Amino acid sequence: MITLLNRILRKEEIRRGDGSVYLHRWTLLRTSKNGLFSKIGFGDRRIYIHKFTESDHTLCLHDHPNELTSFIFWNGYSEEYWEPRIKKTQKKTYKAPCIRTFPASHCHRVTLLNNEPCWSLVYMRPKTREWGFWTTHGDNGEKLQKRRWVQWEEYEDKFGGNGGCE
């Protein structure tokens, strides 16, 4: 199946700061911001097949640049997420088949079930913001009383992609 996907669809490998691949992504549809589909309200939309091969590599929760809808069709994951109403992290498990929609501001951390790959079909809406990590450490590594948001590239530079959280 993977060989067929690679031949037909554009494949991307999303890597961690250390260079290891944790997500394989195949593009099913990608509309441009100002293209034909933008005239009918569907500019800058994407549909991907995702194959996660690794759990999130940091203890810090992250958010996203856009709203997502994901249909998990193989395996699943456990999600640790921030619940703003009670100001605490919570955990929930999502197993295939499952459909999820969450806003760009939803911050979470994903752990694969049984260390097995998770496959999903993902619909991404237009980018609305920068994305990053919620860390509990300051610029000099000091422990903070409150979590703070750090843009993802800055996070990778400061913490090497795997630190800054307890």
Side-chain angles (χ1 to χ4, degrees):
M1 180 166 131
I2 292 176
T3 304
L4 181 62
L5 286 173
N6 291 344
R7 287 180 189 219
I8 297 172
L9 306 172
R10 182 177 152 235
K11 181 184 179 188
E12 296 173 78
E13 293 179 336
I14 312 301
R15 298 176 183 276
R16 296 179 172 160
D18 67 3
S20 64
V21 176
Y22 71 94
L23 170 66
H24 301 269
R25 172 188 286 170
W26 294 271
T27 304
L28 295 177
L29 175 72
R30 185 174 189 134
T31 65
S32 66
K33 189 181 280 189
N34 300 313
L36 175 65
F37 286 100
S38 68
K39 295 176 185 2
I40 57 171
F42 286 98
D44 193 25
R45 308 292 171 124
R46 288 151 285 167
I47 299 175
Y48 298 113
I49 294 174
H50 278 177
K51 178 188 178 190
F52 283 94
T53 55
E54 300 285 337
S55 299
D56 285 345
H57 63 295
T58 177
L59 294 177
C60 292
L61 305 180
H62 68 274
D63 53 25
H64 294 269
N66 42 22
E67 184 178 335
L68 304 169
T69 297
S70 176
F71 169 60
I72 301 168
F73 62 88
W74 187 264
N75 197 25
Y77 56 81
S78 174
E79 177 188 55
E80 181 182 351
Y81 63 96
W82 180 253
E83 181 51 68
R85 290 175 296 181
I86 60 172
K87 296 184 181 354
K88 290 185 178 179
T89 56
Q90 301 288 302
K91 286 189 179 180
K92 188 167 183 179
T93 298
Y94 297 94
K95 294 180 182 179
C98 174
I99 295 178
R100 309 199 48 215
T101 296
F102 50 89
S105 60
H106 176 76
C107 56
H108 67 166
R109 180 179 177 278
V110 170
T111 303
L112 296 177
L113 298 180
N114 304 314
N115 284 325
E116 294 291 327
C118 175
W119 288 78
S120 59
L121 181 66
V122 178
Y123 171 59
M124 291 186 181
R125 287 159 191 81
K127 181 178 177 178
T128 57
R129 62 197 297 276
E130 286 297 315
W131 72 277
F133 291 87
W134 288 89
T135 178
T136 55
H137 287 79
D139 288 338
N140 298 319
E142 72 277 12
K143 178 85 168 104
L144 302 173
Q145 295 296 319
K146 289 177 68 175
R147 299 177 323 134
R148 71 179 180 114
W149 184 86
V150 178
Q151 192 266 352
W152 75 272
E153 290 167 314
E154 182 182 340
Y155 175 82
E156 291 282 342
D157 288 345
K158 283 188 176 155
F159 299 106
N162 62 6
C165 292
E166 300 294 319

